[in-house]
Amino acid sequence: MDIVLQAALVGLLQGLTEFIPISSSAHLELAPWIAGWEPDGLIGSLAFDVFLHLGTLVALLSYFFRDWLRYIGAWVASVRERRIGGDPDRRIAWLLIAATVPAGVIGFALEGFVEESFHGDSDGARLAIAGFLVIGATALYLADRVGSRRRELHDLTAPTALAIGFSQALALLPGISRSGATITAGLALGLTREAAARFSFLLATPITLGAGLYGSRKLFEESLTGSEWLAIGAGFVVAALAGLLAIGFLLAWLRRRSVAVFSLYRIAFAAVIVVLVLIGR
């Protein structure tokens, strides 16, 4: 397959699955295996991964541009005045900072262990992903069923925000899903579906930015051809556009419908993985 087309398809997969709670890591890990793509030096490389994350970061910043301007302005005002007071924007700005810390610390500490234990071109790693998909599906469905779904974003408290922040670290496990974990935690703690998704997306922004900056530390050490840069550009643009559409779609969906369809999809995807492993794909 042409490398530019393959990069665009992977960018599409990244943009859609990063925000819809069906696990981008599971799809990106398994798509080449399922599709039978020949291993390529670019797809899965540091450079390509960094630009895919930057594409989803562009989607987040584009969709929530006004929100971030408001929260950053509120945060600056709170620092200048040394008070939060009753301003919900100031409180949410500080809660976003506090909730980002746990995932960053845990991710930095455990990234190597998780990479060695659950990633790789083996049936064991694929079955582990299938298991995490089912665990995430079950947790998401149960949280939606038992949560009160009465609290809006302005009702967010520090314990709730920190709990959601800790849940974000579970995304290290391929198949759990960052958005799935944070939306599940938000629902379980009483947020409405839309509020849980909105806080999940806001919380994703600093984490995605951090991942991009962390990955880019070695980016310019790689020597890439013109066609590889073209493929990277295609993946970046498609990831950004697909991510923007996925954010809007999910928020609109959750205003009127439950998360059950995503749980069912995750279980179906896990079943496909198990079947392919059993038949020796």
Side-chain angles (χ1 to χ4, degrees):
M1 179 182 291
D2 178 75
I3 189 173
V4 175
L5 176 58
Q6 187 173 341
L9 289 174
V10 175
L12 177 64
L13 204 57
Q14 165 72 16
L16 294 177
T17 59
E18 179 69 19
F19 301 116
I20 297 174
I22 53 177
S23 179
S24 61
S25 59
H27 285 77
L28 293 175
E29 285 250 349
L30 299 176
W33 171 65
I34 293 173
W37 292 341
E38 290 296 324
D40 184 270
L42 177 68
I43 305 301
S45 69
L46 172 64
F48 192 64
D49 186 60
V50 166
F51 276 92
L52 286 184
H53 278 89
L54 291 177
T56 53
L57 177 63
V58 167
L60 285 166
L61 292 175
S62 299
Y63 196 94
F64 294 104
F65 180 72
R66 292 183 180 179
D67 298 74
W68 276 113
L69 283 181
R70 195 172 73 251
Y71 291 137
I72 291 172
W75 180 81
V76 170
S78 74
V79 172
R80 185 176 60 247
E81 299 175 11
R82 298 183 181 180
R83 62 185 295 272
I84 295 175
D87 186 345
D89 287 346
R90 295 186 184 192
R91 185 162 49 81
I92 290 172
W94 279 104
L95 290 178
L96 284 167
I97 293 172
T100 298
V101 173
V105 173
I106 295 172
F108 183 79
L110 298 182
E111 181 184 22
F113 168 75
V114 173
E115 183 71 26
E116 293 178 6
S117 302
F118 301 110
H119 293 267
D121 186 20
S122 69
D123 287 345
R126 292 166 190 139
L127 290 175
I129 291 174
F132 290 134
L133 281 167
V134 173
I135 291 170
T138 304
L140 181 62
Y141 179 77
L142 290 177
D144 190 53
R145 295 282 292 179
V146 304
S148 65
R149 301 201 305 272
R150 294 177 180 175
R151 300 168 64 190
E152 297 293 345
L153 197 57
H154 60 260
D155 299 317
L156 202 64
T157 63
T160 299
L162 287 172
I164 296 173
F166 273 103
S167 74
Q168 192 169 220
L170 294 173
L172 285 170
L173 302 171
I176 289 295
S177 166
R178 192 211 61 80
S179 62
T182 50
I183 291 173
T184 296
L187 288 171
L189 294 168
L191 293 179
T192 65
R193 292 166 180 151
E194 185 181 0
R198 187 170 288 272
F199 189 69
S200 169
F201 294 149
L202 289 169
L203 196 56
T205 306
I207 286 292
T208 306
L209 175 62
L213 292 175
Y214 181 71
S216 65
R217 70 197 189 283
K218 295 183 178 179
L219 180 60
F220 296 103
E221 296 178 8
E222 299 195 22
S223 178
L224 300 171
T225 65
S227 62
E228 287 176 328
W229 277 115
L230 181 61
I232 285 174
F236 169 82
V237 171
V238 174
L241 293 175
L244 196 60
L245 291 173
I247 293 170
F249 160 77
L250 187 63
L251 289 174
W253 177 277
L254 294 180
R255 290 186 192 109
R256 303 182 300 275
R257 301 178 180 89
S258 77
V259 298
V261 65
F262 307 116
S263 291
L264 289 173
Y265 174 85
R266 292 170 64 102
I267 292 171
F269 186 29
V272 169
I273 296 168
V274 172
V275 169
L276 289 177
V277 168
L278 290 176
I279 65 175
R281 174 69 173 83

